Amino acid sequence: MSDTNGLLRGQKVSRKSFEGILHAGMGMSPVTLALDPTDEILNLPGVSDDSADFHDSPLAVDTDTVRSIPWEVPGHDLLVLSNYTGETAAMCPRAMLSGLIDKADSMGLSLKYGLELEYTLFEETSESIAAKGFCDLTPATVHASHDLVIYQTAQSEWYTAVADMCDALKIDLAKMHEEIGPGFMEACTGAGGGLEPADQTILLKNFMRALAMRQNKTITYMARWSEQADSQSAHIHVSLKGEDGTPLFWDETKPDNMSDTFRYFIGGMQTYIGQMMLLFAPTVNSYRRFAPGTFAPPALTWGIENRTTCFRVVGHDAGSLRVENRLPGSDANPYLTVAATLAAGLAGIAQKIEPDEAVSGNGYVPSEQEPRHYPRTIVHAIAALRESSFAREWLGDAFVDGFSATREAQEVAFQHMVPDTELRRFFELG
């Protein structure tokens, strides 16, 4: 099952045990949802605070997700995804997305989406990185190399290994390519419905890490891992269909072929996504991504085929017209970012919210139109989520209060740490 960070947590069980789990489920402590990536236990009220009893809550196995783990021998290679049920489902990322997909279905709307995943590959092991103090690391390529076929060919072993891994894991790997920095790459899952694209992205993210480890390499999904690196994102491409499969974003009688439903969806995103910024930028590092000069969106703007906006309208026919949400960082949990995107869009449709005027030209250049801003620090993002009546209505009080509390615990811990940059700036002459 996925924790809030997007890391898969689970156990190896015997066949006999698994047969029992299929019938009766399995228990896992909700404290799993209070863990930072390196298992620092964050404050989650009622779960990891002074009132906690560290009980188990039930997991339900989703038998539609059965896959084979690459590199494992037959008989040891079965993998199946699960999510929390009962009260803990309110805090479970996969269960939350499932509930919002059901909400869309009840409105006669069927979600279709796919995700992009950016990462940086290093010719380093965990040990060599630690020995270097996370400085002067060797990326997989020396130069920035956007779509450079030379580097793709030189690294064919990596690309082939990723593709083979995806076959075993039933991941619809749509494309891979070099991005705009040394060792900076992207892998994309194909569009689909239900939980499947998010499941595939979670699997891709976790098992590419494992693949790198097996090759004595390392991957980072940090939103920004150095001052010289560009920002790393995980864009979401979204469209909606009707109950009969008709694309609902397309209307050839409207400007740019955008239906009213599509415009309302974008209006909802502009109105509500800023309140849920914490889901798109969930760590103290996430906000480094929005430094000037990166390709991170400058405001909650939208435009037609415009990569300088946050919400980019893409596609030229009924089957391909969609919106790309460019706000999520690569460090965010795909279940949560898709859930927040869908909630905002559905609310826009229900409330018939018209979007602002589309941005033409370079959206990074200030204009006379006052942009819709989003929180630029984790402190402000925590406050925005806690104060959002929209988030409480669509995501639930338990999630809003719990997720905010865990991120606040992370932020408070980092307040007391001394970064290497401060030592370099102030140690001798400060």
Side-chain angles (χ1 to χ4, degrees):
M1 51 80 66
S2 168
D3 67 13
T4 56
N5 308 296
L7 287 168
L8 287 176
R9 307 271 181 172
Q11 299 177 5
K12 288 181 176 288
V13 299
S14 69
R15 174 175 178 148
K16 181 178 179 180
S17 296
F18 185 63
E19 289 172 350
I21 289 167
L22 286 174
H23 174 70
M26 174 180 168
M28 184 178 284
S29 174
V31 175
T32 303
L33 300 174
L35 298 177
D36 241 10
T38 53
D39 280 13
E40 292 289 331
I41 299 178
L42 305 176
N43 177 52
L44 183 56
V47 174
S48 62
D49 59 8
D50 290 342
S51 68
D53 59 6
F54 295 86
H55 65 275
D56 278 353
S57 288
L59 294 174
V61 169
D62 185 346
T63 54
D64 291 335
T65 65
V66 169
R67 286 156 162 90
S68 295
I69 300 176
W71 321 299
E72 296 277 10
V73 300
H76 296 262
D77 59 344
L78 182 69
L79 179 146
V80 61
L81 295 176
S82 64
N83 50 259
Y84 279 109
T85 61
E87 292 183 4
T88 307
M91 271 292 296
C92 176
R94 190 173 190 268
M96 176 181 292
L97 177 56
S98 179
L100 282 162
I101 290 172
D102 290 344
K103 172 73 171 177
D105 290 342
S106 72
M107 296 170 64
L109 306 171
S110 177
L111 177 66
K112 180 182 179 182
Y113 66 105
L115 297 101
E116 303 172 0
L117 181 63
E118 294 178 346
Y119 62 97
T120 301
L121 181 66
F122 295 92
E123 299 291 343
E124 303 276 0
T125 64
S126 297
E127 293 76 15
S128 69
I129 289 172
K132 292 181 176 182
F134 296 85
C135 297
D136 301 320
L137 304 180
T138 303
T141 59
V142 176
H143 302 291
S145 54
H146 187 268
D147 287 349
L148 197 60
V149 173
I150 293 172
Y151 276 163
Q152 293 177 14
T153 303
Q155 298 184 113
S156 61
E157 290 86 355
W158 170 255
Y159 284 108
T160 300
V162 172
D164 289 344
M165 177 195 80
C166 288
D167 283 343
L169 288 167
K170 298 182 182 178
I171 295 171
D172 179 13
L173 185 64
K175 66 175 182 176
M176 297 184 285
H177 62 91
E178 309 285 319
E179 263 292 347
I180 49 176
F184 192 6
M185 301 177 180
E186 180 179 294
C188 305
T189 56
L195 289 167
E196 187 62 23
D199 285 344
Q200 291 182 20
T201 304
I202 284 283
L203 290 164
L204 178 64
K205 191 172 183 179
N206 280 268
F207 279 90
M208 274 206 302
R209 279 194 181 105
L211 175 62
M213 291 176 183
R214 293 175 63 86
Q215 295 189 359
N216 291 319
K217 304 176 190 288
T218 299
I219 280 175
T220 187
Y221 297 107
M222 286 182 69
R224 201 166 187 215
W225 62 272
S226 82
E227 295 90 338
Q228 291 74 43
D230 203 343
S231 62
Q232 299 194 141
S233 58
H235 301 159
I236 309 168
H237 291 253
V238 182
S239 65
L240 292 175
K241 294 180 180 181
E243 292 178 309
D244 61 354
T246 303
L248 297 181
F249 281 2
W250 176 268
D251 187 338
E252 60 186 11
T253 69
K254 298 287 187 178
D256 301 307
N257 299 316
M258 292 177 61
S259 69
D260 290 341
T261 297
F262 195 2
R263 292 183 61 82
Y264 298 152
F265 193 93
I266 292 176
M269 292 169 72
Q270 282 195 302
T271 301
Y272 294 119
I273 272 183
Q275 300 175 30
M276 300 179 288
M277 182 65 180
L278 194 61
L279 280 67
F280 300 100
T283 77
V284 292
N285 174 262
S286 300
Y287 299 83
R288 310 284 188 201
R289 175 169 164 248
F290 300 98
T294 71
F295 269 88
L300 299 176
T301 54
W302 75 281
I304 307 294
E305 277 289 3
N306 191 335
R307 280 191 172 88
T308 68
T309 62
C310 188
F311 309 124
R312 170 186 170 227
V313 173
V314 193
H316 305 286
D317 57 40
S320 65
L321 189 65
R322 62 196 186 275
V323 62
E324 176 190 21
N325 181 359
R326 299 174 58 81
L327 188 62
S330 188
D331 55 348
N333 184 314
Y335 293 122
L336 297 181
T337 58
V338 174
T341 301
L342 180 59
L346 292 180
I349 293 171
Q351 299 168 29
K352 297 185 177 181
I353 300 174
E354 281 287 348
D356 299 338
E357 290 296 316
V359 170
S360 298
N362 193 333
Y364 296 117
V365 178
S367 66
E368 295 181 0
Q369 179 179 325
E370 179 65 22
R372 294 180 186 254
H373 292 293
Y374 52 78
R376 295 303 182 109
T377 70
I378 194 169
V379 173
H380 291 112
I382 291 167
L385 186 64
R386 278 181 169 155
E387 296 165 6
S388 172
S389 58
F390 170 83
R392 291 184 178 279
E393 177 185 355
W394 285 79
L395 307 181
D397 288 331
F399 176 80
V400 169
D401 292 334
F403 193 71
S404 299
T406 60
R407 303 305 109 171
E408 183 177 55
Q410 182 189 93
E411 192 277 329
V412 168
F414 273 77
Q415 281 181 9
H416 303 290
M417 297 179 182
V418 180
D420 290 347
T421 51
E422 291 185 11
L423 293 173
R424 289 193 289 269
R425 183 71 65 89
F426 305 118
F427 188 83
E428 290 184 87
L429 302 176

